[in-house]
Amino acid sequence: MPVIADDVVLERVEHILGSGTGTLDFAVAGESEYYTWYGIEDADWSITGVERIENDDEDRFLIYPNGDYFRCEVTADKQEGNSGPVRCQSE
């Protein structure tokens, strides 16, 4: 799974798999692996245009867009311990 260690814009994100520890995994249409962003527990991230969240009471949760995809602007300067920001919005 590719690790996000530099700033990137991800288009056509089908869903986001998140955890309470600050990790976000992005499922991009046409890709076979998640793009993983390792953030800190209190990292600055926001996701707008959410249709539904599954397993929202557990440590791992899936976030689905209100539209077809999310577009995500991800800030990273290292492989682990990033603080953000990460901004995703439904297209």
Side-chain angles (χ1 to χ4, degrees):
M1 107 181 45
V3 175
I4 298 171
D6 294 304
D7 295 352
V8 67
V9 174
L10 299 173
E11 306 281 350
R12 299 174 35 119
V13 176
E14 295 176 326
H15 67 269
I16 300 166
L17 178 62
S19 79
T21 60
T23 299
L24 297 174
D25 295 311
F26 302 91
V28 176
E31 301 287 333
S32 61
E33 296 182 298
Y34 282 103
Y35 287 81
T36 301
W37 180 80
Y38 291 106
I40 58 174
E41 189 170 336
D42 294 327
D44 176 14
W45 58 268
S46 66
I47 302 170
T48 58
V50 174
E51 179 180 304
R52 72 180 189 279
I53 300 173
E54 294 181 2
N55 298 325
D56 60 347
D57 61 342
E58 298 177 15
D59 184 48
R60 297 289 280 175
F61 49 91
L62 286 160
I63 303 170
Y64 292 94
N66 192 27
D68 291 332
Y69 302 105
F70 288 115
R71 179 183 186 276
C72 298
E73 296 178 12
V74 183
T75 302
D77 58 5
K78 52 191 164 192
Q79 287 195 357
E80 294 183 16
N82 290 290
S83 60
V86 175
R87 301 288 181 255
C88 297
Q89 60 187 38
S90 182
E91 294 183 333

